[in-house]
């Protein structure tokens, strides 16, 4: 019996999933304040002599300077996604919040009532079902997988996946503790703040659609990245074994990606655009090079990199990068886009979709 590592929903399951899902709108919110990597390193308590920009390729990131928290970032992104989708909040049947951070009114972490209910209220989604999920930096793509399944099965016709990540306090905390390049808090200095949202709805004839969404958790590696409150510092501290995570991801991702491609009936060269979790430019380029070597094949375009200007924005990275590509007119209708999640847990997931002209035209693209 063939072994499947991924829990997948794909177009072959017509009997129980008679519909298709399209991405109707993607939105984001980026704080106005730019903070360079040089400025981050200048804020560290200890003289580390670490050239973090050379190591990661990150020149700057956006950070909230009192103007945003998790909720306001998520709400602004939600409004932006509805605008691009041409939909109203009261047309949503479900709102799923997927953020790691749930800060409201500064650094007050709210667990109840849910962040999703607060977002739904602010965008006018009065009749929507709301719930939060937590799956580290894979949160939004996990939300996409859940909502995609519901739409395909006819449970709902339209919904939103949204996240607001006010995560820069993790970097501020790490700045007090990083001593050298081997510090497990070094990765915390790469983060940036952002909000992101996707509107998903039932596809119509001829529209783009999600062809496959698949996820798995390799729990053996769950302790390679841990974040939790420690001491009297606000927010949390994050401890990451970056080299080990990269090694595991490179070892396990090809097997899982091959399973997705086989399910979709595609080869790697059939993928036009790859958007991975934005950890560092160096890690993305190295990872893609190793993936291409193992497959003996390559996507049509180089992997998308936006971490150089936005930093690692946690669960929002894929959508932040996707909007960048839409606005720059680098994606054409009908092309295949692969969103690849590599997150603490270790969570690995892939969402394959094709955008349509209606979606891309909402970003001023002349197709």
């Amino acid at each position: 019996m063939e072994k499947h590592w991924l829990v997948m929903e794909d177009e072959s399951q017509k009997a129980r999933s008679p519909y298709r899902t399209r991405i109707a709108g993607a939105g984001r919110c980026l704080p106005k304040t730019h903070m360079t990597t040089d400025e981050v390193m200048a804020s560290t308590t200890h003289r580390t002599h670490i050239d973090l920009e050379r190591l990661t390729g990150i020149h700057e990131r956006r950070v909230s300077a009192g103007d945003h928290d998790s909720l306001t970032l998520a709400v602004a992104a939600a409004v932006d996604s509805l605008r691009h989708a041409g939909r109203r909040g009261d047309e949503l049947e479900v709102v799923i919040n997927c953020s790691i951070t749930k800060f409201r009114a500064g650094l007050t972490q709210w667990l109840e009532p849910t962040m999703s209910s607060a977002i739904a209220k602010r965008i006018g989604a009065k009749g929507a079902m709301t719930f939060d999920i937590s799956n580290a930096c894979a949160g939004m793509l996990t939300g996409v997988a859940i909502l995609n399944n519901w739409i395909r099965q006819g449970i709902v016709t339209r919904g939103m996946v949204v996240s607001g990540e006010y995560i820069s306090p993790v970097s501020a905390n790490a700045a007090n503790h990083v001593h050298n390049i081997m510090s497990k808090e070094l990765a915390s200095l790469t983060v940036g703040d952002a909000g992101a949202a996707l509107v998903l709805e039932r596809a119509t004839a001829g529209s783009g659609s999600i062809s496959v969404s698949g996820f798995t958790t390799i729990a053996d590696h769950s302790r390679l990245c841990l974040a939790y409150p420690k001491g009297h510092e606000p927010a949390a501290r994050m401890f990451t074994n970056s080299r080990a995570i990269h090694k595991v991801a490179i070892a396990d991702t090809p097997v899982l990606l091959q399973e997705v491609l086989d399910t979709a009936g595609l080869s790697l060269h059939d993928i036009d655009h790859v958007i991975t979790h934005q950890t560092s430019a160096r890690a993305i380029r190295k990872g893609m090079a190793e993936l291409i070597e193992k497959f003996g094949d390559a996507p049509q375009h180089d992997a998308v990199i936006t971490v150089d200007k936005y930093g690692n924005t946690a669960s929002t990275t894929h959508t932040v990068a996707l909007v960048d590509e839409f606005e720059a007119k680098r994606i054409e209708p009908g092309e295949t886009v692969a969103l690849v999640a590599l997150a603490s847990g270790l969570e690995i997931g892939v969402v394959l979709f094709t955008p349509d002209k209606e979606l891309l035209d909402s970003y001023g693209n002349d197709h």
Side-chain angles (χ1 to χ4, degrees):
M1 183 176 178
E2 186 179 0
K3 184 175 181 61
H4 291 280
W5 292 98
L6 290 166
V7 176
M8 283 192 286
E9 180 78 8
D10 66 85
E11 292 187 341
S12 68
Q13 299 165 327
K14 299 292 185 184
R16 69 183 185 88
S17 304
Y19 304 106
R20 297 179 304 128
T21 304
R22 69 179 287 261
I23 295 179
R28 68 182 182 183
C29 174
L30 298 166
K32 294 180 180 180
T33 302
H34 297 243
M35 189 173 192
T36 67
T37 297
D38 285 345
E39 289 172 329
V40 171
M41 296 312 296
S43 73
T44 59
T45 300
H46 307 282
R47 292 179 61 84
T48 65
H49 304 290
I50 298 170
D51 189 345
L52 189 63
E53 183 169 346
R54 182 184 64 82
L55 285 173
T56 64
I58 299 172
H59 174 64
E60 65 177 14
R61 72 280 288 137
R62 301 290 187 90
V63 297
S64 173
D67 50 336
H68 278 294
D69 56 26
S70 305
L71 177 59
T72 61
L73 286 166
V75 169
V79 170
D80 190 41
S81 68
L82 287 170
R83 178 174 63 85
H84 284 291
R87 304 289 183 252
R88 302 183 311 273
D90 61 9
E91 295 180 272
L92 300 173
E93 296 167 66
V94 59
V95 174
I96 307 172
N97 175 69
C98 311
S99 59
I100 300 169
T101 63
K102 294 177 172 62
F103 294 120
R104 305 187 212 178
L107 286 176
T108 301
Q109 182 91 340
W110 287 62
L111 299 180
E112 294 291 346
T114 61
M115 184 74 75
S116 55
S117 63
I119 296 167
K121 182 178 180 179
R122 293 201 182 191
I123 64 174
K126 299 178 181 178
M129 179 195 318
T130 64
F131 60 93
D132 291 10
I133 63 172
S134 180
N135 202 16
C137 292
M140 276 197 72
L141 292 192
T142 307
V144 168
I146 293 170
L147 185 52
N148 174 47
N149 291 351
W150 284 14
I151 292 173
R152 287 175 56 78
Q153 294 169 25
I155 297 171
V156 298
T157 58
R158 183 178 297 113
M160 176 182 287
V161 178
V162 59
S163 176
E165 297 290 19
Y166 175 35
I167 201 166
S168 56
V170 166
S171 178
N173 288 343
N176 296 322
H177 302 283
V178 170
H179 287 81
N180 54 56
I181 200 170
M182 299 305 294
S183 171
K184 288 190 176 182
E185 291 188 75
L186 186 62
S188 301
L189 301 180
T190 67
V191 301
D193 301 327
L198 295 167
V199 176
L200 273 57
E201 65 184 20
R202 184 181 297 175
T204 57
S207 71
S209 66
I210 295 173
S211 56
V212 181
S213 62
F215 279 80
T216 194
T217 301
I218 308 173
D220 289 352
H221 311 295
S222 62
R223 300 192 66 80
L224 293 180
C225 182
L226 299 172
Y228 47 85
K230 186 174 182 180
H232 298 289
E233 290 168 304
R237 290 173 65 186
M238 184 172 72
F239 303 86
T240 308
N241 188 333
S242 301
R243 292 183 180 181
I245 287 179
H246 180 79
K247 183 178 180 180
V248 171
I250 291 302
D252 293 331
T253 300
V255 176
L256 302 172
L257 182 58
Q258 186 64 65
E259 188 173 322
V260 169
L261 294 173
D262 289 345
T263 299
L266 300 174
S267 298
L268 191 59
H269 71 263
D270 294 318
I271 306 297
D272 295 288
H273 306 274
V274 177
I275 300 177
T276 70
H277 178 46
Q278 302 287 309
T279 53
S280 82
R282 185 177 181 180
I284 293 169
R285 291 192 180 101
K286 184 177 179 181
M288 284 303 300
E290 294 186 32
L291 193 67
I292 289 168
E293 183 179 354
K294 288 189 178 183
F295 274 82
D297 199 358
Q300 295 296 317
H301 300 278
D302 292 337
V304 173
I305 294 177
T306 58
V307 69
D308 56 332
K309 54 187 175 181
Y310 303 130
N312 178 352
T313 59
S315 67
T316 68
T317 61
H318 300 87
T319 305
V320 166
L322 189 62
V323 172
D324 240 40
E325 295 300 286
F326 287 168
E327 291 182 346
K329 307 179 184 180
R330 286 189 285 265
I331 296 179
E332 297 288 331
E335 290 188 327
T336 300
V337 181
L339 306 177
V340 182
L342 299 168
S344 307
L346 183 72
E347 178 72 21
I348 300 178
V350 181
V351 174
L352 295 184
F353 82 98
T354 55
D356 51 43
K357 186 175 184 297
E358 182 181 353
L359 170 61
L360 295 174
D361 282 351
S362 73
Y363 298 89
N365 290 10
D366 183 18
H367 295 282

